[in-house]
Amino acid sequence: MKQSVKMIVGNWKMNGLAADLAQAEAVRVSLAEAPTGNRVGLCFPATLIAQAAGRLKGSPVEVGGQDCHAAASGAYTGSVSAEMLKEAGASLVIAGHSERRAGFGETDADVAAKVKAALRAGLEPIVCVGETLEQRDAGRALEVVTLQVAGSLPESLSGRAFAVAYEPVWAIGTGRTPTVEQVAEMHAAIRQAQVERLGAARAPILYGGSVNPKNAAELLGVDGVDGVLVGGASLKADDFLAIVRAG
Ligand code: 13P
């Protein structure tokens, strides 16, 4: 008997041209034929959001962006605002992915500002946190991640819909995953940090990093894991669907 609704979200990262939306269509068709009790979302590159939203309209697949600027509009060449994502058809947006923290120097304060922007626009943010291998090896994983939670979740999240994704940097795209004990320990620490920051927060906490059809059931079964954020394996409908149906 299924315990609870899981949240299964794909992050296509900088992958996908219009032709690849056939994969998203296949997810839609499969879920129409055999519905899942889980929440399902796909976060597309900004260029595909409007098309994806059109093609997934009326389906249970929620559409998301992968990042947004903190401002609603302005002289920020190349950036996309939360309002723009919302108008294009998104209902979710990722904030603070480690590829943005590391590659674009985003701080916890930047991430919190993006989360506020998401709320302003009516998007549900998925706030990413996670330690590097160096930090874990130094025994600092719990400290680093709980500080990220405290710094990245603005108080205005209180009472609003959002999710946190624990994505250890060393598990992303590497095929390595933490042990179930490490995941359980971290999710409990994130839950506690969230409650300390926002009061009785019940936001889902997702695990992300090398989730695939083979390990999804085990990871989704870990105490405190309310869903998964899937990178590479979300690009192919068959793999993603296997994960959606594993929870
Ligand atoms: P992979 O599933 O490819 O490891 O990526 C995880 C991730 O970064 C999702 O946001």
Side-chain angles (χ1 to χ4, degrees):
M1 188 62 192
K2 210 170 145 87
Q3 298 281 309
S4 60
V5 175
K6 302 288 185 184
M7 184 170 178
I8 316 290
V9 180
N11 172 11
W12 278 22
K13 308 192 178 184
M14 198 176 76
N15 297 292
L17 299 172
D20 299 302
L21 288 175
Q23 299 299 317
E25 287 266 10
V27 172
R28 177 180 66 77
V29 168
S30 171
L31 294 182
E33 284 170 355
T36 167
N38 291 329
R39 264 186 88 182
V40 180
L42 284 170
C43 296
F44 298 97
T47 47
L48 289 182
I49 288 176
Q51 284 180 78
R55 289 168 70 166
L56 295 171
K57 203 172 177 163
S59 92
V61 184
E62 300 172 45
V63 172
Q66 300 171 8
D67 178 45
C68 66
H69 197 279
S73 62
Y76 303 105
T77 302
S79 294
V80 174
S81 73
E83 283 77 1
M84 292 169 180
L85 296 175
K86 174 81 177 173
E87 187 184 64
S91 56
L92 306 169
V93 66
I94 296 170
H97 193 282
S98 67
E99 286 153 16
R100 298 212 54 94
R101 289 179 186 264
F104 298 84
E106 288 185 10
T107 63
D108 288 340
D110 295 329
V111 177
K114 288 173 184 231
V115 170
K116 280 189 201 165
L119 296 179
R120 183 187 66 220
L123 296 175
E124 182 175 337
I126 301 170
V127 187
C128 298
V129 293
E131 82 286 358
T132 62
L133 190 57
E134 199 183 14
Q135 289 163 336
R136 179 160 285 274
D137 287 346
R140 296 184 52 227
L142 291 171
E143 171 204 341
V144 165
V145 170
T146 50
L147 279 173
Q148 286 176 336
V149 170
S152 305
L153 301 184
E155 277 171 17
S156 50
L157 273 176
S158 193
R160 304 288 299 266
F162 71 100
V164 174
Y166 168 52
E167 298 206 304
V169 177
W170 50 274
I172 296 176
T174 59
R176 288 184 64 188
T177 52
T179 63
V180 293
E181 290 80 15
Q182 287 172 327
V183 174
E185 178 186 44
M186 186 61 85
H187 279 233
I190 292 171
R191 172 71 62 210
Q192 192 189 328
Q194 204 191 110
V195 170
E196 276 165 21
R197 177 88 182 110
L198 301 171
R202 282 306 307 164
I205 303 174
L206 318 183
Y207 168 79
S210 294
V211 178
N212 62 44
K214 287 203 175 80
N215 63 21
E218 183 178 42
L219 288 163
L220 284 163
V222 176
D223 203 30
V225 173
D226 304 308
V228 285
L229 184 55
V230 186
S234 72
L235 295 170
K236 291 270 174 289
D238 288 349
D239 287 349
F240 187 61
L241 283 162
I243 295 168
V244 167
R245 299 196 188 285

